[in-house]
Amino acid sequence: DSLFFSNPLTQLNMARGAAVKKSERPSSFSVDFHIPVNDQVLKNDNLDEFTQFLQQNIKFKGKRNNIKGVYDVVRSGANVTVKTINGSSISKKYIKFLVKKFLNKNDMRELFRIVSSKKDTYELRYFRIDQAEEESE
């Protein structure tokens, strides 16, 4: 029996007996709020509200508020981390989408942008106002 693979390199590797590796997603993603917290734009109440927002709005199998035993949302200091449990996965883009949704809800989207600082971490930074003014002139 010959297996059909659309990628010729995969066919070649399978013929050689090499294992095909899947790219693994990190098991947790975190959002770092240290810049707005240090400037006292966001307070601890806002971070608690954000963790509640994530717990209520992360969808699993198409349903909200369905993350018990699948995802764990933990706040430690100015970081909020979403950990996966039991080998489930969540995309980093989905976390970014939820952060933007939270910022829009609280009218802070014009102040901050979400930047990927590491492979598994997002960070909130201020928009550069001086750069935007130079472009508009």
Side-chain angles (χ1 to χ4, degrees):
D1 289 306
S2 66
L3 298 173
F4 174 73
F5 293 100
S6 59
N7 186 348
L9 290 176
T10 306
Q11 260 181 334
L12 181 65
N13 286 337
M14 292 299 284
R16 290 181 185 162
V20 178
K21 291 184 180 179
K22 287 186 178 179
S23 62
E24 291 185 26
R25 288 186 177 166
S27 62
S28 68
F29 294 105
S30 62
V31 182
D32 188 4
F33 289 94
H34 79 274
I35 293 173
V37 168
N38 288 344
D39 293 341
Q40 296 179 352
V41 175
L42 289 176
K43 298 181 175 116
N44 287 333
D45 295 340
N46 296 107
L47 294 180
D48 291 335
E49 184 182 338
F50 178 67
T51 56
Q52 288 291 99
F53 179 83
L54 284 180
Q55 289 170 350
Q56 293 170 355
N57 288 294
I58 290 178
K59 288 185 179 181
F60 179 68
K61 292 189 177 179
K63 294 182 181 178
R64 288 184 182 176
N65 228 354
N66 190 22
I67 66 169
K68 289 185 180 175
V70 182
Y71 304 116
D72 191 21
V73 180
V74 180
R75 178 179 166 241
S76 60
N79 287 336
V80 177
T81 305
V82 178
K83 297 179 183 178
T84 60
I85 303 171
N86 298 331
S88 57
S89 66
I90 190 166
S91 74
K92 190 175 174 187
K93 271 189 172 181
Y94 186 55
I95 301 295
K96 184 175 183 177
F97 165 76
L98 290 172
V99 173
K100 285 182 178 182
K101 194 171 179 179
F102 175 76
L103 291 174
N104 279 333
K105 179 183 169 191
N106 292 313
D107 298 325
M108 290 187 271
R109 182 71 178 105
E110 292 100 25
L111 293 176
F112 302 108
R113 61 191 179 114
I114 300 106
V115 179
S116 177
S117 58
K118 296 179 188 172
K119 185 176 180 180
D120 61 346
T121 305
Y122 279 117
E123 186 176 286
L124 261 67
R125 294 186 187 165
Y126 291 107
F127 277 111
R128 295 182 121 185
I129 298 171
D130 58 337
Q131 207 175 36
E133 287 177 0
E134 289 176 9
E135 290 176 2
S136 64
E137 291 178 0

